[in-house]
Amino acid sequence: RIKSLQQREEEEEEHSNPLASEDSACLFPLISASLVLTRRHMIGALANLGTHEDLLGFIERSGVFSLCKPLPSRGYYLEHCTWIVELCRVLANVLSSIDVHGQQ
């Protein structure tokens, strides 16, 4: 049986992730931390959440997208390559979401 869009939305609300409504702004100090390892792990965790459409707001509120800016030099890239790759993963996961493209 094919479910209507409204029925699917109601089911998603019933089974929605508790993180979806949480404020994630408190994560920004960890995302922008001076320790590269901490930054990498926090951005990696957000990248893993990026595969869940109901958590897109949570990711956006964390401030991770404010890290997307031009790199100052090649040396900076080499020094911070690990978390830059994780940031690319966040973008890839979020942009591959159906909701972002407006498809149903």
Side-chain angles (χ1 to χ4, degrees), residues 29-101:
L30 295 173
I31 294 169
S32 60
S34 59
L35 296 173
V36 175
L37 187 62
T38 302
R39 184 182 293 190
R40 187 187 100 204
H41 286 299
M42 288 306 300
I43 296 172
L46 289 171
N48 293 339
L49 294 178
T51 60
H52 303 280
E53 289 182 35
D54 57 339
L55 295 176
L56 294 178
F58 181 82
I59 295 168
E60 183 180 357
R61 289 188 302 272
S62 73
V64 71
F65 298 123
S66 65
L67 298 176
C68 298
K69 53 188 172 189
L71 300 175
S73 67
R74 288 182 185 176
Y76 182 87
Y77 173 77
L78 291 174
E79 185 177 340
H80 301 284
C81 180
T82 55
W83 71 262
I84 292 170
V85 169
E86 293 294 345
L87 189 57
C88 291
R89 244 176 21 98
V90 171
L91 293 172
N93 288 344
V94 168
L95 292 176
S96 66
S97 167
I98 294 172
D99 198 30
V100 171
H101 299 291

Side-chain angles (χ1 to χ4, degrees), residues 10-23:
E10 288 173 0
E11 285 179 6
E12 286 177 8
E13 287 177 9
E14 290 174 8
H15 303 331
S16 67
N17 195 315
L19 280 178
S21 61
E22 291 296 319
D23 183 25

